Amino acid sequence: MSSKEASPEDIVRPMQSTSRWYYAVFAAAGIVALIWLALWGYQLEEGLIVTNLADWGSGGGVTWGVYIGAFIWWVGIAHGGIILSAAVRLFGMKRYQPIARIAELLTIGALSMAGLYIVVHTGRPDRLVTSVIPAYPWSVQTSPLAWDITVITLYFVLTATYLALTLRYDVHRLRDRMPDHLGPVYSIITMGYSEREDEIIERMVWWLALGIIVLAPLLLHGGVIPWLFALLPSMPGWQGAIQGPQFLSIALTSAIAGVIIISLLLRRAYDWDHILTDDMVRGLTLWLGFFGLMFIWLQLQQVITGVYAPAIDAGTVASAKVVNPVYIFAIVSMVLVLAYIFAQAVRESVFTPARSLVAAFLVLAATLSEKVLFVVEGLEYPTFSLYHAIPGHYFPSIVELGSVAGTMALCTLFFLAILKVVPVIELHAVEDHDDHGETEVEA
Amino acid sequence: MMLTLLTQALALASVPLASGFDPWEFAPPGVWLIFGIVGLPVYVAFSGWFLGRPRNIKSSVLGSVTFLALVCSLWGGLFALTMLIRLFFF
Protein backbone atom coordinates (compact mmCIF):
# COMPACT_ATOMS: atom_id res chain seq x y z
CA MET A 1 0.00 0.00 0.00
CA SER A 2 1.22 3.43 -0.89
CA SER A 3 2.30 5.80 1.87
CA LYS A 4 1.39 8.90 -0.16
CA GLU A 5 -1.00 11.38 1.42
CA ALA A 6 -4.13 12.06 -0.64
CA SER A 7 -4.66 15.73 -1.45
CA PRO A 8 -7.01 17.93 -3.50
CA GLU A 9 -4.17 18.25 -6.05
CA ASP A 10 -4.63 14.60 -6.87
CA ILE A 11 -8.28 14.87 -7.81
CA VAL A 12 -7.88 17.92 -10.07
CA ARG A 13 -4.94 16.38 -11.96
CA PRO A 14 -7.11 15.03 -14.81
CA MET A 15 -8.27 18.60 -15.50
CA GLN A 16 -4.76 20.04 -15.47
CA SER A 17 -2.85 17.66 -17.74
CA THR A 18 -3.59 15.41 -20.69
CA SER A 19 -1.46 12.37 -21.42
CA ARG A 20 -0.83 10.68 -24.76
CA TRP A 21 -2.87 7.75 -23.47
CA TYR A 22 -5.85 10.05 -23.01
CA TYR A 23 -5.67 11.14 -26.66
CA ALA A 24 -5.17 7.54 -27.84
CA VAL A 25 -8.17 6.23 -25.91
CA PHE A 26 -10.26 9.22 -27.00
CA ALA A 27 -9.35 8.61 -30.66
CA ALA A 28 -10.05 4.88 -30.47
CA ALA A 29 -13.40 5.37 -28.70
CA GLY A 30 -14.28 8.18 -31.12
CA ILE A 31 -13.62 5.99 -34.17
CA VAL A 32 -15.71 3.11 -32.79
CA ALA A 33 -18.54 5.52 -31.89
CA LEU A 34 -18.46 7.09 -35.36
CA ILE A 35 -18.55 3.70 -37.07
CA TRP A 36 -21.58 2.74 -35.02
CA LEU A 37 -23.31 6.09 -35.65
CA ALA A 38 -22.82 5.42 -39.38
CA LEU A 39 -24.37 1.96 -38.90
CA TRP A 40 -27.29 3.53 -37.05
CA GLY A 41 -27.68 6.08 -39.84
CA TYR A 42 -27.83 3.15 -42.27
CA GLN A 43 -30.56 1.60 -40.11
CA LEU A 44 -32.50 4.88 -40.06
CA GLU A 45 -32.28 5.05 -43.87
CA GLU A 46 -33.20 1.42 -44.54
CA GLY A 47 -35.36 0.58 -41.53
CA LEU A 48 -35.13 -2.26 -39.01
CA ILE A 49 -34.77 -4.69 -41.91
CA VAL A 50 -30.97 -4.26 -41.55
CA THR A 51 -31.21 -5.87 -38.13
CA ASN A 52 -32.01 -9.54 -37.79
CA LEU A 53 -35.10 -8.69 -35.79
CA ALA A 54 -38.24 -9.89 -37.52
CA ASP A 55 -41.95 -10.31 -37.11
CA TRP A 56 -42.52 -12.67 -34.24
CA GLY A 57 -42.46 -16.20 -35.50
CA SER A 58 -41.67 -15.54 -39.14
CA GLY A 59 -38.36 -17.16 -40.00
CA GLY A 60 -37.86 -17.94 -36.33
CA GLY A 61 -37.73 -14.19 -35.77
CA VAL A 62 -37.94 -12.26 -32.55
CA THR A 63 -39.05 -8.67 -32.22
CA TRP A 64 -36.72 -7.96 -29.29
CA GLY A 65 -33.05 -8.92 -29.49
CA VAL A 66 -29.68 -7.35 -28.70
CA TYR A 67 -31.17 -3.86 -28.49
CA ILE A 68 -33.53 -4.71 -25.65
CA GLY A 69 -31.07 -7.11 -23.98
CA ALA A 70 -28.36 -4.43 -24.00
CA PHE A 71 -30.91 -1.86 -22.81
CA ILE A 72 -31.62 -3.94 -19.69
CA TRP A 73 -27.88 -4.49 -19.19
CA TRP A 74 -27.10 -0.77 -19.30
CA VAL A 75 -30.04 0.02 -17.03
CA GLY A 76 -28.76 -2.61 -14.60
CA ILE A 77 -25.30 -1.05 -14.52
CA ALA A 78 -26.89 2.35 -13.96
CA HIS A 79 -29.10 1.17 -11.11
CA GLY A 80 -26.38 -0.70 -9.31
CA GLY A 81 -24.08 2.32 -9.64
CA ILE A 82 -26.36 4.70 -7.80
CA ILE A 83 -27.25 2.07 -5.19
CA LEU A 84 -23.54 1.83 -4.39
CA SER A 85 -23.25 5.57 -4.08
CA ALA A 86 -26.44 5.93 -2.00
CA ALA A 87 -25.24 3.15 0.33
CA VAL A 88 -21.96 5.02 0.86
CA ARG A 89 -23.84 8.15 1.94
CA LEU A 90 -26.67 6.51 3.84
CA PHE A 91 -24.76 3.89 5.77
CA GLY A 92 -21.54 5.89 6.21
CA MET A 93 -19.41 3.36 4.29
CA LYS A 94 -16.44 5.73 4.15
CA ARG A 95 -14.14 3.06 2.81
CA TYR A 96 -15.94 3.38 -0.54
CA GLN A 97 -16.30 7.16 -0.54
CA PRO A 98 -13.65 7.60 -3.29
CA ILE A 99 -15.80 5.62 -5.72
CA ALA A 100 -19.13 7.27 -4.84
CA ARG A 101 -18.96 9.88 -7.59
CA ILE A 102 -17.52 7.40 -10.09
CA ALA A 103 -20.59 5.24 -9.40
CA GLU A 104 -22.91 8.26 -9.83
CA LEU A 105 -21.27 9.19 -13.14
CA LEU A 106 -21.47 5.59 -14.26
CA THR A 107 -25.20 5.79 -13.55
CA ILE A 108 -25.62 8.89 -15.71
CA GLY A 109 -23.50 7.45 -18.55
CA ALA A 110 -25.07 3.99 -18.46
CA LEU A 111 -28.64 5.30 -18.19
CA SER A 112 -28.03 7.59 -21.17
CA MET A 113 -26.88 4.57 -23.18
CA ALA A 114 -29.98 2.64 -22.07
CA GLY A 115 -32.21 5.53 -23.18
CA LEU A 116 -30.35 5.70 -26.50
CA TYR A 117 -31.09 2.01 -27.05
CA ILE A 118 -34.82 2.73 -26.83
CA VAL A 119 -34.43 5.45 -29.47
CA VAL A 120 -32.36 3.08 -31.64
CA HIS A 121 -34.82 0.21 -31.25
CA THR A 122 -37.77 2.35 -32.30
CA GLY A 123 -38.50 1.92 -35.98
CA ARG A 124 -39.50 5.60 -36.24
CA PRO A 125 -37.60 7.30 -33.40
CA ASP A 126 -38.82 10.71 -34.56
CA ARG A 127 -42.25 9.71 -33.28
CA LEU A 128 -41.00 8.61 -29.86
CA VAL A 129 -41.64 11.75 -27.80
CA THR A 130 -44.78 12.82 -29.63
CA SER A 131 -46.36 9.41 -29.15
CA VAL A 132 -45.36 8.95 -25.50
CA ILE A 133 -46.28 12.32 -23.99
CA PRO A 134 -49.82 12.90 -25.37
CA ALA A 135 -50.87 9.31 -24.56
CA TYR A 136 -49.32 9.31 -21.08
CA PRO A 137 -52.45 10.05 -18.99
CA TRP A 138 -54.06 6.90 -20.44
CA SER A 139 -51.02 4.65 -20.95
CA VAL A 140 -49.81 5.07 -17.36
CA GLN A 141 -53.05 3.48 -16.12
CA THR A 142 -52.24 0.01 -17.41
CA SER A 143 -49.04 -0.13 -19.47
CA PRO A 144 -45.81 -1.42 -17.87
CA LEU A 145 -43.93 0.43 -20.66
CA ALA A 146 -45.38 3.73 -19.43
CA TRP A 147 -44.46 2.78 -15.83
CA ASP A 148 -40.96 2.04 -17.04
CA ILE A 149 -40.61 5.43 -18.73
CA THR A 150 -41.93 7.17 -15.61
CA VAL A 151 -39.58 5.44 -13.21
CA ILE A 152 -36.51 5.77 -15.43
CA THR A 153 -37.20 9.50 -15.82
CA LEU A 154 -37.58 9.84 -12.04
CA TYR A 155 -34.46 7.88 -11.44
CA PHE A 156 -32.30 9.74 -13.97
CA VAL A 157 -33.42 13.08 -12.62
CA LEU A 158 -32.94 12.09 -8.97
CA THR A 159 -29.39 10.95 -9.78
CA ALA A 160 -28.55 14.08 -11.72
CA THR A 161 -29.97 16.27 -8.93
CA TYR A 162 -27.90 14.32 -6.44
CA LEU A 163 -24.77 14.89 -8.53
CA ALA A 164 -25.54 18.58 -9.09
CA LEU A 165 -25.98 19.20 -5.35
CA THR A 166 -22.81 17.36 -4.29
CA LEU A 167 -20.69 19.12 -6.93
CA ARG A 168 -21.37 22.56 -5.44
CA TYR A 169 -19.09 21.98 -2.46
CA ASP A 170 -16.21 20.65 -4.58
CA VAL A 171 -16.42 23.18 -7.41
CA HIS A 172 -16.54 26.13 -5.01
CA ARG A 173 -13.41 25.00 -3.16
CA LEU A 174 -11.42 23.81 -6.16
CA ARG A 175 -12.50 26.54 -8.59
CA ASP A 176 -9.05 28.19 -8.79
CA ARG A 177 -7.49 24.88 -9.80
CA MET A 178 -10.05 24.09 -12.48
CA PRO A 179 -9.93 25.20 -16.16
CA ASP A 180 -10.87 28.83 -16.77
CA HIS A 181 -12.60 28.21 -20.08
CA LEU A 182 -15.30 26.24 -18.24
CA GLY A 183 -16.03 29.21 -15.96
CA PRO A 184 -19.68 29.61 -17.11
CA VAL A 185 -20.37 25.92 -16.34
CA TYR A 186 -18.93 26.29 -12.85
CA SER A 187 -20.91 29.50 -12.30
CA ILE A 188 -24.14 27.61 -13.05
CA ILE A 189 -23.16 24.70 -10.78
CA THR A 190 -22.34 27.00 -7.86
CA MET A 191 -25.15 29.51 -8.43
CA GLY A 192 -26.12 31.12 -5.11
CA TYR A 193 -23.61 29.02 -3.16
CA SER A 194 -22.67 29.94 0.39
CA GLU A 195 -20.65 27.88 2.84
CA ARG A 196 -23.58 28.01 5.28
CA GLU A 197 -25.51 25.66 2.98
CA ASP A 198 -22.99 22.78 3.24
CA GLU A 199 -24.66 21.09 6.18
CA ILE A 200 -28.12 21.51 4.67
CA ILE A 201 -27.11 20.25 1.22
CA GLU A 202 -25.47 17.26 2.85
CA ARG A 203 -28.76 16.50 4.59
CA MET A 204 -30.72 16.99 1.35
CA VAL A 205 -28.38 14.54 -0.38
CA TRP A 206 -28.98 12.12 2.50
CA TRP A 207 -32.75 12.37 1.89
CA LEU A 208 -32.19 11.79 -1.83
CA ALA A 209 -30.00 8.77 -1.04
CA LEU A 210 -32.80 7.43 1.17
CA GLY A 211 -35.29 7.81 -1.68
CA ILE A 212 -32.93 6.24 -4.22
CA ILE A 213 -31.97 3.28 -2.04
CA VAL A 214 -35.66 2.32 -1.84
CA LEU A 215 -36.67 3.31 -5.37
CA ALA A 216 -33.79 1.80 -7.37
CA PRO A 217 -33.53 -1.74 -6.00
CA LEU A 218 -37.08 -2.47 -4.84
CA LEU A 219 -39.20 -0.62 -7.36
CA LEU A 220 -37.02 -0.12 -10.43
CA HIS A 221 -34.54 -2.83 -11.36
CA GLY A 222 -36.16 -5.20 -8.88
CA GLY A 223 -39.62 -3.92 -9.84
CA VAL A 224 -40.81 -2.10 -12.93
CA ILE A 225 -38.14 -3.41 -15.34
CA PRO A 226 -38.68 -7.13 -14.60
CA TRP A 227 -42.46 -6.49 -14.61
CA LEU A 228 -42.13 -5.53 -18.28
CA PHE A 229 -41.43 -9.22 -18.80
CA ALA A 230 -42.79 -11.04 -15.76
CA LEU A 231 -46.36 -9.79 -16.22
CA LEU A 232 -46.66 -11.49 -19.63
CA PRO A 233 -48.27 -14.87 -18.99
CA SER A 234 -47.62 -16.28 -22.48
CA MET A 235 -43.80 -16.22 -22.14
CA PRO A 236 -42.74 -18.82 -19.59
CA GLY A 237 -39.08 -17.78 -19.83
CA TRP A 238 -39.99 -14.33 -18.57
CA GLN A 239 -42.71 -15.09 -16.09
CA GLY A 240 -42.60 -15.32 -12.34
CA ALA A 241 -41.75 -13.42 -9.20
CA ILE A 242 -38.12 -14.57 -9.35
CA GLN A 243 -37.43 -12.09 -12.16
CA GLY A 244 -37.29 -9.17 -9.68
CA PRO A 245 -34.50 -10.60 -7.49
CA GLN A 246 -32.76 -12.02 -10.58
CA PHE A 247 -32.71 -8.65 -12.35
CA LEU A 248 -31.52 -6.91 -9.20
CA SER A 249 -28.68 -9.36 -8.58
CA ILE A 250 -27.50 -8.93 -12.18
CA ALA A 251 -27.72 -5.14 -11.88
CA LEU A 252 -25.63 -5.03 -8.74
CA THR A 253 -23.09 -7.52 -10.08
CA SER A 254 -22.71 -5.59 -13.35
CA ALA A 255 -22.47 -2.22 -11.60
CA ILE A 256 -19.76 -3.33 -9.19
CA ALA A 257 -17.86 -4.83 -12.13
CA GLY A 258 -18.19 -1.51 -13.98
CA VAL A 259 -16.99 0.48 -10.97
CA ILE A 260 -14.01 -1.87 -10.50
CA ILE A 261 -13.00 -1.44 -14.17
CA ILE A 262 -13.28 2.35 -14.15
CA SER A 263 -11.56 2.66 -10.76
CA LEU A 264 -8.61 0.51 -11.77
CA LEU A 265 -8.17 2.26 -15.12
CA LEU A 266 -8.31 5.70 -13.49
CA ARG A 267 -5.97 4.55 -10.74
CA ARG A 268 -3.45 3.46 -13.34
CA ALA A 269 -3.85 6.62 -15.43
CA TYR A 270 -3.58 9.15 -12.59
CA ASP A 271 -1.44 7.37 -9.98
CA TRP A 272 -4.36 7.17 -7.58
CA ASP A 273 -3.14 4.02 -5.80
CA HIS A 274 -3.27 5.90 -2.50
CA ILE A 275 -6.91 6.96 -3.03
CA LEU A 276 -8.40 3.99 -4.87
CA THR A 277 -6.47 1.60 -2.67
CA ASP A 278 -5.94 -2.14 -2.99
CA ASP A 279 -7.95 -2.48 0.19
CA MET A 280 -10.95 -0.77 -1.41
CA VAL A 281 -10.65 -2.75 -4.67
CA ARG A 282 -10.50 -5.97 -2.67
CA GLY A 283 -13.61 -4.93 -0.76
CA LEU A 284 -15.40 -4.27 -4.06
CA THR A 285 -14.20 -7.65 -5.34
CA LEU A 286 -15.78 -9.33 -2.31
CA TRP A 287 -19.08 -7.52 -2.95
CA LEU A 288 -18.82 -8.69 -6.56
CA GLY A 289 -18.53 -12.23 -5.23
CA PHE A 290 -21.54 -11.80 -2.95
CA PHE A 291 -23.85 -10.53 -5.69
CA GLY A 292 -22.34 -12.98 -8.21
CA LEU A 293 -23.27 -15.78 -5.85
CA MET A 294 -26.84 -14.46 -5.74
CA PHE A 295 -26.87 -14.44 -9.54
CA ILE A 296 -25.77 -18.10 -9.69
CA TRP A 297 -28.20 -19.10 -6.90
CA LEU A 298 -31.19 -17.50 -8.66
CA GLN A 299 -30.17 -19.10 -11.97
CA LEU A 300 -30.03 -22.46 -10.20
CA GLN A 301 -33.56 -21.94 -8.87
CA GLN A 302 -34.85 -21.25 -12.38
CA VAL A 303 -32.97 -24.13 -13.97
CA ILE A 304 -34.03 -26.71 -11.37
CA THR A 305 -37.69 -25.71 -11.43
CA GLY A 306 -37.49 -25.58 -15.25
CA VAL A 307 -35.92 -28.96 -15.92
CA TYR A 308 -37.26 -31.22 -13.14
CA ALA A 309 -40.87 -32.27 -13.78
CA PRO A 310 -41.89 -28.84 -15.09
CA ALA A 311 -45.00 -27.65 -16.91
CA ILE A 312 -44.52 -28.28 -20.64
CA ASP A 313 -43.94 -24.64 -21.67
CA ALA A 314 -41.54 -23.88 -18.81
CA GLY A 315 -39.67 -27.12 -19.51
CA THR A 316 -39.17 -26.27 -23.18
CA VAL A 317 -37.59 -22.88 -22.53
CA ALA A 318 -35.43 -24.16 -19.63
CA SER A 319 -34.14 -27.11 -21.68
CA ALA A 320 -33.26 -24.80 -24.56
CA LYS A 321 -31.50 -22.40 -22.21
CA VAL A 322 -29.24 -24.85 -20.41
CA VAL A 323 -27.72 -26.21 -23.64
CA ASN A 324 -27.29 -22.84 -25.32
CA PRO A 325 -23.55 -21.99 -25.69
CA VAL A 326 -24.25 -18.35 -24.74
CA TYR A 327 -25.81 -19.45 -21.45
CA ILE A 328 -23.01 -21.92 -20.78
CA PHE A 329 -20.48 -19.13 -21.40
CA ALA A 330 -22.30 -16.85 -18.95
CA ILE A 331 -22.50 -19.43 -16.18
CA VAL A 332 -18.95 -20.79 -16.63
CA SER A 333 -17.57 -17.22 -16.61
CA MET A 334 -19.44 -16.41 -13.43
CA VAL A 335 -18.30 -19.63 -11.75
CA LEU A 336 -14.65 -18.90 -12.68
CA VAL A 337 -14.98 -15.39 -11.27
CA LEU A 338 -16.49 -16.76 -8.06
CA ALA A 339 -13.66 -19.30 -7.78
CA TYR A 340 -11.13 -16.44 -7.93
CA ILE A 341 -13.07 -14.30 -5.48
CA PHE A 342 -13.38 -17.09 -2.90
CA ALA A 343 -9.73 -18.05 -3.35
CA GLN A 344 -8.61 -14.47 -2.68
CA ALA A 345 -10.99 -14.24 0.26
CA VAL A 346 -9.31 -17.28 1.82
CA ARG A 347 -5.76 -16.38 0.81
CA GLU A 348 -5.00 -12.69 0.40
CA SER A 349 -1.95 -13.33 -1.80
CA VAL A 350 -4.26 -14.59 -4.57
CA PHE A 351 -5.71 -11.08 -4.91
CA THR A 352 -4.22 -8.74 -7.48
CA PRO A 353 -5.90 -5.69 -9.02
CA ALA A 354 -5.18 -7.10 -12.50
CA ARG A 355 -7.05 -10.32 -11.69
CA SER A 356 -9.97 -8.35 -10.29
CA LEU A 357 -9.98 -6.33 -13.52
CA VAL A 358 -10.18 -9.50 -15.63
CA ALA A 359 -12.90 -10.86 -13.31
CA ALA A 360 -14.90 -7.63 -13.73
CA PHE A 361 -14.68 -7.81 -17.56
CA LEU A 362 -15.77 -11.47 -17.47
CA VAL A 363 -18.73 -10.59 -15.26
CA LEU A 364 -19.88 -7.84 -17.64
CA ALA A 365 -19.59 -10.23 -20.61
CA ALA A 366 -21.53 -12.87 -18.67
CA THR A 367 -24.35 -10.55 -17.61
CA LEU A 368 -24.71 -9.06 -21.10
CA SER A 369 -24.88 -12.56 -22.63
CA GLU A 370 -27.44 -13.73 -20.08
CA LYS A 371 -29.64 -10.67 -20.54
CA VAL A 372 -29.69 -10.88 -24.34
CA LEU A 373 -30.43 -14.61 -24.18
CA PHE A 374 -33.20 -13.98 -21.63
CA VAL A 375 -34.95 -11.59 -24.01
CA VAL A 376 -34.46 -13.67 -27.14
CA GLU A 377 -35.36 -17.08 -25.71
CA GLY A 378 -38.36 -15.64 -23.92
CA LEU A 379 -39.78 -14.74 -27.33
CA GLU A 380 -38.55 -17.86 -29.13
CA TYR A 381 -40.29 -20.26 -26.73
CA PRO A 382 -43.79 -18.97 -26.00
CA THR A 383 -46.50 -21.10 -24.37
CA PHE A 384 -48.33 -21.53 -27.66
CA SER A 385 -45.78 -22.39 -30.33
CA LEU A 386 -47.74 -21.15 -33.31
CA TYR A 387 -44.58 -20.90 -35.38
CA HIS A 388 -42.91 -24.04 -34.18
CA ALA A 389 -42.45 -25.52 -37.65
CA ILE A 390 -40.84 -22.40 -39.09
CA PRO A 391 -37.08 -22.88 -39.29
CA GLY A 392 -34.42 -20.42 -38.19
CA HIS A 393 -33.17 -18.74 -35.07
CA TYR A 394 -32.32 -15.16 -34.26
CA PHE A 395 -28.71 -14.13 -34.50
CA PRO A 396 -27.86 -10.43 -34.28
CA SER A 397 -26.74 -8.58 -37.41
CA ILE A 398 -23.54 -6.54 -37.63
CA VAL A 399 -25.62 -3.38 -37.13
CA GLU A 400 -26.94 -4.74 -33.82
CA LEU A 401 -23.56 -6.03 -32.64
CA GLY A 402 -22.04 -2.69 -33.62
CA SER A 403 -24.43 -0.97 -31.22
CA VAL A 404 -22.86 -2.76 -28.23
CA ALA A 405 -19.37 -1.57 -29.19
CA GLY A 406 -20.74 1.85 -30.11
CA THR A 407 -22.55 2.49 -26.83
CA MET A 408 -19.50 1.29 -24.87
CA ALA A 409 -17.39 3.75 -26.87
CA LEU A 410 -19.87 6.57 -26.22
CA CYS A 411 -19.85 5.81 -22.50
CA THR A 412 -16.03 5.87 -22.57
CA LEU A 413 -16.13 9.24 -24.34
CA PHE A 414 -18.56 10.51 -21.70
CA PHE A 415 -16.10 9.57 -18.94
CA LEU A 416 -13.13 11.06 -20.83
CA ALA A 417 -15.06 14.31 -21.26
CA ILE A 418 -16.26 14.48 -17.65
CA LEU A 419 -12.69 13.94 -16.40
CA LYS A 420 -11.89 17.34 -17.91
CA VAL A 421 -14.87 19.12 -16.37
CA VAL A 422 -15.35 18.07 -12.73
CA PRO A 423 -13.42 16.01 -10.18
CA VAL A 424 -14.52 12.38 -10.46
CA ILE A 425 -13.42 11.79 -6.88
CA GLU A 426 -15.21 13.78 -4.22
CA LEU A 427 -13.24 16.36 -2.29
CA HIS A 428 -14.67 14.88 0.91
CA ALA A 429 -13.01 11.58 0.02
CA VAL A 430 -9.52 13.10 0.08
CA GLU A 431 -10.27 15.41 3.00
CA ASP A 432 -11.44 12.48 5.15
CA HIS A 433 -9.02 10.00 3.60
CA ASP A 434 -7.23 7.56 5.85
CA ASP A 435 -4.31 5.99 4.07
CA HIS A 436 -4.38 2.84 6.15
CA GLY A 437 -7.83 1.89 4.98
CA GLU A 438 -9.39 2.33 8.40
CA THR A 439 -12.95 3.48 8.19
CA GLU A 440 -15.73 4.74 10.38
CA VAL A 441 -17.92 1.85 9.35
CA GLU A 442 -16.28 -1.19 7.82
CA ALA A 443 -18.22 -3.00 5.16
CA MET B 1 -100.50 9.06 -2.95
CA MET B 2 -97.53 10.29 -0.93
CA LEU B 3 -97.19 6.90 0.65
CA THR B 4 -97.11 5.21 -2.75
CA LEU B 5 -94.41 7.58 -3.98
CA LEU B 6 -92.36 7.02 -0.85
CA THR B 7 -92.69 3.26 -1.21
CA GLN B 8 -91.61 3.48 -4.82
CA ALA B 9 -88.65 5.70 -3.95
CA LEU B 10 -87.51 3.28 -1.25
CA ALA B 11 -87.91 0.37 -3.65
CA LEU B 12 -85.82 2.20 -6.27
CA ALA B 13 -83.12 3.01 -3.71
CA SER B 14 -82.79 -0.65 -2.87
CA VAL B 15 -82.23 -1.64 -6.55
CA PRO B 16 -78.49 -2.20 -7.16
CA LEU B 17 -77.84 0.29 -9.98
CA ALA B 18 -74.08 -0.49 -9.98
CA SER B 19 -72.09 -3.41 -8.67
CA GLY B 20 -70.42 -1.20 -6.11
CA PHE B 21 -67.29 0.88 -5.88
CA ASP B 22 -64.48 -0.60 -7.95
CA PRO B 23 -61.13 0.93 -6.98
CA TRP B 24 -59.45 -0.44 -10.15
CA GLU B 25 -61.94 1.42 -12.29
CA PHE B 26 -61.71 4.59 -10.24
CA ALA B 27 -57.90 4.55 -10.43
CA PRO B 28 -56.44 1.74 -12.57
CA PRO B 29 -53.47 -0.31 -11.30
CA GLY B 30 -50.81 1.85 -12.93
CA VAL B 31 -52.10 4.96 -11.17
CA TRP B 32 -51.91 3.26 -7.77
CA LEU B 33 -48.54 1.78 -8.58
CA ILE B 34 -46.79 4.85 -9.96
CA PHE B 35 -48.33 7.61 -7.87
CA GLY B 36 -49.12 5.55 -4.78
CA ILE B 37 -46.17 3.19 -4.37
CA VAL B 38 -43.27 4.05 -6.70
CA GLY B 39 -43.65 7.73 -5.91
CA LEU B 40 -43.43 7.21 -2.15
CA PRO B 41 -39.60 7.36 -1.86
CA VAL B 42 -39.63 10.56 -3.92
CA TYR B 43 -42.34 12.11 -1.72
CA VAL B 44 -40.31 11.14 1.34
CA ALA B 45 -37.15 12.74 -0.08
CA PHE B 46 -38.96 15.99 -0.94
CA SER B 47 -40.75 16.04 2.42
CA GLY B 48 -37.38 15.61 4.09
CA TRP B 49 -36.04 18.64 2.20
CA PHE B 50 -38.89 20.88 3.26
CA LEU B 51 -39.80 19.48 6.68
CA GLY B 52 -36.64 17.77 8.00
CA ARG B 53 -33.85 19.42 9.95
CA PRO B 54 -31.54 21.11 9.27
CA ARG B 55 -33.40 22.87 6.49
CA ASN B 56 -33.25 26.08 4.53
CA ILE B 57 -36.04 27.04 2.18
CA LYS B 58 -33.59 28.50 -0.35
CA SER B 59 -31.69 25.20 -0.66
CA SER B 60 -34.92 23.18 -0.80
CA VAL B 61 -36.24 25.39 -3.60
CA LEU B 62 -32.88 25.14 -5.38
CA GLY B 63 -33.07 21.33 -5.25
CA SER B 64 -36.67 21.34 -6.49
CA VAL B 65 -35.91 23.74 -9.36
CA THR B 66 -32.90 21.60 -10.33
CA PHE B 67 -35.15 18.53 -10.32
CA LEU B 68 -37.80 20.16 -12.53
CA ALA B 69 -35.22 21.72 -14.87
CA LEU B 70 -33.63 18.31 -15.35
CA VAL B 71 -37.00 16.68 -16.16
CA CYS B 72 -37.65 19.38 -18.78
CA SER B 73 -34.13 19.19 -20.25
CA LEU B 74 -34.25 15.39 -20.40
CA TRP B 75 -37.51 15.27 -22.38
CA GLY B 76 -36.68 18.49 -24.23
CA GLY B 77 -33.33 16.99 -25.29
CA LEU B 78 -34.99 13.78 -26.37
CA PHE B 79 -37.53 15.78 -28.37
CA ALA B 80 -34.72 17.73 -30.06
CA LEU B 81 -32.85 14.49 -30.88
CA THR B 82 -35.91 12.85 -32.39
CA MET B 83 -36.73 15.97 -34.41
CA LEU B 84 -33.17 15.99 -35.75
CA ILE B 85 -33.60 12.36 -36.77
CA ARG B 86 -36.84 13.32 -38.55
CA LEU B 87 -35.07 16.17 -40.32
CA PHE B 88 -32.21 14.05 -41.61
CA PHE B 89 -33.78 10.65 -42.20
CA PHE B 90 -37.54 10.86 -42.73
Side-chain angles (χ1 to χ4, degrees), chain A residues 85-100:
Chain A
S85 168
V88 168
R89 293 189 197 288
L90 212 58
F91 306 131
M93 295 159 74
K94 295 254 175 180
R95 180 191 208 177
Y96 300 108
Q97 200 171 18
I99 51 116

Side-chain angles (χ1 to χ4, degrees), chain A residues 13-73:
Chain A
R13 199 177 309 131
M15 285 175 275
Q16 293 172 334
S17 61
T18 308
S19 67
R20 275 181 302 169
W21 274 106
Y22 181 94
Y23 289 116
V25 175
F26 196 97
I31 289 167
V32 175
L34 282 175
I35 291 172
W36 173 61
L37 288 174
L39 288 172
W40 183 27
Y42 174 58
Q43 180 189 303
L44 286 166
E45 285 284 350
E46 302 294 325
L48 286 170
I49 191 75
V50 300
T51 67
N52 280 341
L53 299 169
D55 286 344
W56 190 32
S58 58
V62 292
T63 48
W64 287 1
V66 162
Y67 288 161
I68 296 298
F71 158 75
I72 310 169
W73 183 69

Side-chain angles (χ1 to χ4, degrees), chain B residues 19-39:
Chain B
S19 58
F21 176 70
D22 181 357
W24 294 120
E25 199 170 320
F26 171 70
V31 176
W32 290 107
L33 178 75
I34 293 298
F35 301 105
I37 300 172
V38 170

Side-chain angles (χ1 to χ4, degrees), chain A residues 216-237:
Chain A
L218 304 184
L219 301 173
L220 194 45
H221 215 77
V224 172
I225 306 273
W227 292 335
L228 279 177
F229 300 91
L231 297 179
L232 291 172
S234 54
M235 310 292 175

